[in-house]
Structure formats: C-alpha cells, structure tokens
Amino acid sequence: MDPERFKRIEEIYHAALEVDSKELASFLDRECGSDLELGNEVKTMLQFERSPKSLLDTPPDDIAAGLFSERRDSNKFLDRKVGRYEIERILGEGGMGTVFLARDSRLARPVALKILPVEMVANDDRVQRFMHEARAASALNHPHILTVYEIDEATAENGEVIHFISTEFVDGKTLD
C-alpha cells in the first residue's frame, strides 16, 4: 500500500471515530465514494477499535452469555420453517452460523441450511462476509464442492431478519 493511500485511510478512520454510530454508514459513503476497498479498510480498523482487545478484556459473564445464547438461538429454529425450508435438526455450528438439515417444501428434497446468527445480522460486515461466502461457493463447480441453491433472508414470527444459505445436503461422515 502506498503512503498516500495509507494516509487517506488513517484520516477517514480518525474522523470516523468522532462520528455517531447512527451516522457512520452515510459518513463512510461520503468519504469513500465508490472505493469499496477503502471503505472496507476503514470498517475493519473501526471494528478492531471497538472490539475487546483480547479475551482477557472481556468480562467472563459476557463470554458465558454469548456461548449459551448462541446455542439457545440455534435450538429455537428446530421444528420451524425459515422461508420454504422446514428445519429438522442441527448438523453443525461454527463462527459464521449454524447448519441445519432442512426440507425444501417446494422441491421436496433435503438441504443443508446455514443460518447467520441473529446477533451478527446487525453487523453489516458479517452479513457481507456471509453473502460473499455463498457467492464464492456458487461460482465453483466441482464434484467435491456443495452446490449452492439459494441465498436469501426471511422474517421470523418475532420480526427478526434471518439470513440463510441453502445448499446441497450430502449425507455421510463429518470431516472431523
């Protein structure tokens, strides 16, 4: 990265620290324009600044609450519908979501349904990463890569927005 580019990122970053969080998106749009890379650099720096610096900086109660709420949030989808998908069971959990075995009610086939955790929906960067993951996987065509059927969002009965990726379900052993 050239020094002028770094200086511009630094200027926007320091100015953004002074902007109210409700105005941040419009501020970054004005300052970065169509330069998405510039905007992403600044957003990354802001996220790092606003997040705990290490696990030791996070109160133990917050860590425990996060772990338990993530599991509870995953279980709340069992035996429910998300869009046209009827969720049957949890297949696995990871940092970017929970994967469920679901049934596509339109096409009457099993699918793997990956749902972005509700607490991440408010984070635009996480939603963009989730969508990027789906686009990247759907751009590939290989017998050893799952086929992406759909990426979409649905609204739950309680009004929460649920982001999901529907993929081919392959029954078998885990990679563990």
Side-chain angles (χ1 to χ4, degrees), residues 89-92 99 101 110-112 146 168-176:
R89 66 181 166 95
I90 295 174
L91 295 174
V99 179
L101 172 61
V111 298
L146 293 173
E168 169 185 18
F169 170 70
V170 179
D171 198 10
K173 295 181 181 180
T174 70
L175 296 176
D176 292 342

PDB file of all heavy atoms in Angstrom, residues 89-92 99 101 110-112 146 168-176:
ATOM      1  N   ARG A  89     -33.017 -30.735  12.055  1.00  0.00           N
ATOM      2  CA  ARG A  89     -32.021 -30.916  13.122  1.00  0.00           C
ATOM      3  C   ARG A  89     -30.757 -30.130  12.815  1.00  0.00           C
ATOM      4  O   ARG A  89     -30.530 -29.725  11.681  1.00  0.00           O
ATOM      5  CB  ARG A  89     -31.694 -32.388  13.327  1.00  0.00           C
ATOM      6  CG  ARG A  89     -30.996 -33.057  12.169  1.00  0.00           C
ATOM      7  CD  ARG A  89     -30.747 -34.545  12.483  1.00  0.00           C
ATOM      8  NE  ARG A  89     -30.390 -35.279  11.291  1.00  0.00           N
ATOM      9  CZ  ARG A  89     -29.127 -35.524  10.904  1.00  0.00           C
ATOM     10  NH1 ARG A  89     -28.124 -35.106  11.618  1.00  0.00           N
ATOM     11  NH2 ARG A  89     -28.891 -36.207   9.798  1.00  0.00           N
ATOM     12  N   ILE A  90     -29.945 -29.947  13.854  1.00  0.00           N
ATOM     13  CA  ILE A  90     -28.668 -29.248  13.708  1.00  0.00           C
ATOM     14  C   ILE A  90     -27.634 -30.223  13.167  1.00  0.00           C
ATOM     15  O   ILE A  90     -27.487 -31.339  13.680  1.00  0.00           O
ATOM     16  CB  ILE A  90     -28.191 -28.673  15.060  1.00  0.00           C
ATOM     17  CG1 ILE A  90     -29.156 -27.598  15.549  1.00  0.00           C
ATOM     18  CG2 ILE A  90     -26.778 -28.115  14.944  1.00  0.00           C
ATOM     19  CD1 ILE A  90     -28.840 -27.070  16.941  1.00  0.00           C
ATOM     20  N   LEU A  91     -26.910 -29.798  12.127  1.00  0.00           N
ATOM     21  CA  LEU A  91     -25.817 -30.607  11.584  1.00  0.00           C
ATOM     22  C   LEU A  91     -24.477 -30.165  12.160  1.00  0.00           C
ATOM     23  O   LEU A  91     -23.571 -30.966  12.348  1.00  0.00           O
ATOM     24  CB  LEU A  91     -25.777 -30.502  10.057  1.00  0.00           C
ATOM     25  CG  LEU A  91     -26.976 -31.073   9.309  1.00  0.00           C
ATOM     26  CD1 LEU A  91     -26.860 -30.758   7.812  1.00  0.00           C
ATOM     27  CD2 LEU A  91     -27.068 -32.574   9.531  1.00  0.00           C
ATOM     28  N   GLY A  92     -24.329 -28.867  12.418  1.00  0.00           N
ATOM     29  CA  GLY A  92     -23.071 -28.356  12.964  1.00  0.00           C
ATOM     30  C   GLY A  92     -23.154 -26.866  13.230  1.00  0.00           C
ATOM     31  O   GLY A  92     -24.050 -26.178  12.738  1.00  0.00           O
ATOM     32  N   VAL A  99     -25.551 -24.819  10.820  1.00  0.00           N
ATOM     33  CA  VAL A  99     -26.037 -25.535   9.639  1.00  0.00           C
ATOM     34  C   VAL A  99     -27.067 -26.565  10.103  1.00  0.00           C
ATOM     35  O   VAL A  99     -26.811 -27.344  11.019  1.00  0.00           O
ATOM     36  CB  VAL A  99     -24.883 -26.227   8.873  1.00  0.00           C
ATOM     37  CG1 VAL A  99     -25.430 -26.982   7.669  1.00  0.00           C
ATOM     38  CG2 VAL A  99     -23.840 -25.211   8.457  1.00  0.00           C
ATOM     39  N   LEU A 101     -30.131 -29.501   8.937  1.00  0.00           N
ATOM     40  CA  LEU A 101     -30.755 -30.329   7.917  1.00  0.00           C
ATOM     41  C   LEU A 101     -32.183 -29.810   7.808  1.00  0.00           C
ATOM     42  O   LEU A 101     -32.886 -29.670   8.816  1.00  0.00           O
ATOM     43  CB  LEU A 101     -30.767 -31.803   8.327  1.00  0.00           C
ATOM     44  CG  LEU A 101     -31.573 -32.726   7.399  1.00  0.00           C
ATOM     45  CD1 LEU A 101     -30.984 -32.715   5.983  1.00  0.00           C
ATOM     46  CD2 LEU A 101     -31.609 -34.128   7.952  1.00  0.00           C
ATOM     47  N   PRO A 110     -34.033 -32.804   0.656  1.00  0.00           N
ATOM     48  CA  PRO A 110     -33.284 -32.339   1.825  1.00  0.00           C
ATOM     49  C   PRO A 110     -32.230 -31.311   1.395  1.00  0.00           C
ATOM     50  O   PRO A 110     -31.681 -31.398   0.285  1.00  0.00           O
ATOM     51  CB  PRO A 110     -32.622 -33.606   2.353  1.00  0.00           C
ATOM     52  CG  PRO A 110     -32.511 -34.499   1.167  1.00  0.00           C
ATOM     53  CD  PRO A 110     -33.663 -34.153   0.263  1.00  0.00           C
ATOM     54  N   VAL A 111     -31.986 -30.341   2.253  1.00  0.00           N
ATOM     55  CA  VAL A 111     -30.958 -29.327   2.010  1.00  0.00           C
ATOM     56  C   VAL A 111     -30.190 -29.084   3.301  1.00  0.00           C
ATOM     57  O   VAL A 111     -30.676 -29.381   4.395  1.00  0.00           O
ATOM     58  CB  VAL A 111     -31.551 -27.984   1.518  1.00  0.00           C
ATOM     59  CG1 VAL A 111     -32.273 -28.148   0.198  1.00  0.00           C
ATOM     60  CG2 VAL A 111     -32.447 -27.357   2.556  1.00  0.00           C
ATOM     61  N   ALA A 112     -28.997 -28.544   3.150  1.00  0.00           N
ATOM     62  CA  ALA A 112     -28.252 -28.023   4.297  1.00  0.00           C
ATOM     63  C   ALA A 112     -28.540 -26.527   4.313  1.00  0.00           C
ATOM     64  O   ALA A 112     -28.346 -25.839   3.320  1.00  0.00           O
ATOM     65  CB  ALA A 112     -26.763 -28.299   4.138  1.00  0.00           C
ATOM     66  N   LEU A 146     -20.078 -28.483  -2.468  1.00  0.00           N
ATOM     67  CA  LEU A 146     -21.546 -28.429  -2.416  1.00  0.00           C
ATOM     68  C   LEU A 146     -22.093 -27.426  -3.417  1.00  0.00           C
ATOM     69  O   LEU A 146     -21.499 -26.372  -3.646  1.00  0.00           O
ATOM     70  CB  LEU A 146     -22.006 -27.992  -1.021  1.00  0.00           C
ATOM     71  CG  LEU A 146     -21.738 -28.943   0.127  1.00  0.00           C
ATOM     72  CD1 LEU A 146     -22.113 -28.277   1.448  1.00  0.00           C
ATOM     73  CD2 LEU A 146     -22.522 -30.226  -0.052  1.00  0.00           C
ATOM     74  N   GLU A 168     -26.827 -27.952  -1.257  1.00  0.00           N
ATOM     75  CA  GLU A 168     -26.992 -29.394  -1.402  1.00  0.00           C
ATOM     76  C   GLU A 168     -26.673 -30.059  -0.061  1.00  0.00           C
ATOM     77  O   GLU A 168     -25.759 -29.649   0.646  1.00  0.00           O
ATOM     78  CB  GLU A 168     -26.001 -29.843  -2.478  1.00  0.00           C
ATOM     79  CG  GLU A 168     -25.792 -31.288  -2.633  1.00  0.00           C
ATOM     80  CD  GLU A 168     -24.695 -31.589  -3.657  1.00  0.00           C
ATOM     81  OE1 GLU A 168     -23.895 -30.697  -3.990  1.00  0.00           O
ATOM     82  OE2 GLU A 168     -24.648 -32.738  -4.108  1.00  0.00           O
ATOM     83  N   PHE A 169     -27.444 -31.072   0.303  1.00  0.00           N
ATOM     84  CA  PHE A 169     -27.161 -31.850   1.503  1.00  0.00           C
ATOM     85  C   PHE A 169     -26.518 -33.160   1.073  1.00  0.00           C
ATOM     86  O   PHE A 169     -27.056 -33.876   0.236  1.00  0.00           O
ATOM     87  CB  PHE A 169     -28.436 -32.140   2.302  1.00  0.00           C
ATOM     88  CG  PHE A 169     -28.216 -33.129   3.414  1.00  0.00           C
ATOM     89  CD1 PHE A 169     -27.464 -32.789   4.533  1.00  0.00           C
ATOM     90  CD2 PHE A 169     -28.747 -34.399   3.335  1.00  0.00           C
ATOM     91  CE1 PHE A 169     -27.237 -33.694   5.549  1.00  0.00           C
ATOM     92  CE2 PHE A 169     -28.550 -35.319   4.351  1.00  0.00           C
ATOM     93  CZ  PHE A 169     -27.790 -34.975   5.465  1.00  0.00           C
ATOM     94  N   VAL A 170     -25.354 -33.449   1.619  1.00  0.00           N
ATOM     95  CA  VAL A 170     -24.664 -34.702   1.334  1.00  0.00           C
ATOM     96  C   VAL A 170     -24.588 -35.484   2.644  1.00  0.00           C
ATOM     97  O   VAL A 170     -23.949 -35.038   3.592  1.00  0.00           O
ATOM     98  CB  VAL A 170     -23.241 -34.465   0.779  1.00  0.00           C
ATOM     99  CG1 VAL A 170     -22.538 -35.773   0.521  1.00  0.00           C
ATOM    100  CG2 VAL A 170     -23.310 -33.630  -0.494  1.00  0.00           C
ATOM    101  N   ASP A 171     -25.255 -36.620   2.686  1.00  0.00           N
ATOM    102  CA  ASP A 171     -25.254 -37.443   3.893  1.00  0.00           C
ATOM    103  C   ASP A 171     -23.940 -38.217   3.968  1.00  0.00           C
ATOM    104  O   ASP A 171     -23.464 -38.745   2.956  1.00  0.00           O
ATOM    105  CB  ASP A 171     -26.445 -38.406   3.862  1.00  0.00           C
ATOM    106  CG  ASP A 171     -26.763 -38.970   5.227  1.00  0.00           C
ATOM    107  OD1 ASP A 171     -26.199 -38.475   6.222  1.00  0.00           O
ATOM    108  OD2 ASP A 171     -27.558 -39.915   5.298  1.00  0.00           O
ATOM    109  N   GLY A 172     -23.355 -38.267   5.126  1.00  0.00           N
ATOM    110  CA  GLY A 172     -22.112 -39.008   5.286  1.00  0.00           C
ATOM    111  C   GLY A 172     -21.410 -38.614   6.568  1.00  0.00           C
ATOM    112  O   GLY A 172     -21.978 -37.967   7.433  1.00  0.00           O
ATOM    113  N   LYS A 173     -20.146 -38.990   6.659  1.00  0.00           N
ATOM    114  CA  LYS A 173     -19.350 -38.683   7.845  1.00  0.00           C
ATOM    115  C   LYS A 173     -18.858 -37.241   7.793  1.00  0.00           C
ATOM    116  O   LYS A 173     -18.669 -36.680   6.714  1.00  0.00           O
ATOM    117  CB  LYS A 173     -18.159 -39.631   7.930  1.00  0.00           C
ATOM    118  CG  LYS A 173     -18.542 -41.079   8.132  1.00  0.00           C
ATOM    119  CD  LYS A 173     -17.328 -41.952   8.222  1.00  0.00           C
ATOM    120  CE  LYS A 173     -17.740 -43.400   8.411  1.00  0.00           C
ATOM    121  NZ  LYS A 173     -16.586 -44.284   8.507  1.00  0.00           N
ATOM    122  N   THR A 174     -18.625 -36.672   8.971  1.00  0.00           N
ATOM    123  CA  THR A 174     -18.070 -35.326   9.024  1.00  0.00           C
ATOM    124  C   THR A 174     -16.585 -35.378   8.688  1.00  0.00           C
ATOM    125  O   THR A 174     -15.968 -36.443   8.718  1.00  0.00           O
ATOM    126  CB  THR A 174     -18.232 -34.706  10.434  1.00  0.00           C
ATOM    127  OG1 THR A 174     -17.364 -35.392  11.333  1.00  0.00           O
ATOM    128  CG2 THR A 174     -19.664 -34.748  10.902  1.00  0.00           C
ATOM    129  N   LEU A 175     -16.038 -34.221   8.401  1.00  0.00           N
ATOM    130  CA  LEU A 175     -14.598 -34.155   8.087  1.00  0.00           C
ATOM    131  C   LEU A 175     -13.748 -34.237   9.349  1.00  0.00           C
ATOM    132  O   LEU A 175     -12.529 -34.322   9.267  1.00  0.00           O
ATOM    133  CB  LEU A 175     -14.288 -32.867   7.317  1.00  0.00           C
ATOM    134  CG  LEU A 175     -14.945 -32.771   5.955  1.00  0.00           C
ATOM    135  CD1 LEU A 175     -14.640 -31.414   5.321  1.00  0.00           C
ATOM    136  CD2 LEU A 175     -14.490 -33.897   5.045  1.00  0.00           C
ATOM    137  N   ASP A 176     -14.392 -34.159  10.542  1.00  0.00           N
ATOM    138  CA  ASP A 176     -13.660 -34.307  11.804  1.00  0.00           C
ATOM    139  C   ASP A 176     -12.982 -35.650  11.841  1.00  0.00           C
ATOM    140  O   ASP A 176     -11.968 -35.880  12.404  1.00  0.00           O
ATOM    141  CB  ASP A 176     -14.589 -34.184  13.009  1.00  0.00           C
ATOM    142  CG  ASP A 176     -15.120 -32.757  13.150  1.00  0.00           C
ATOM    143  OD1 ASP A 176     -14.534 -31.833  12.567  1.00  0.00           O
ATOM    144  OD2 ASP A 176     -16.143 -32.612  13.854  1.00  0.00           O
TER     145      ASP A 176
END
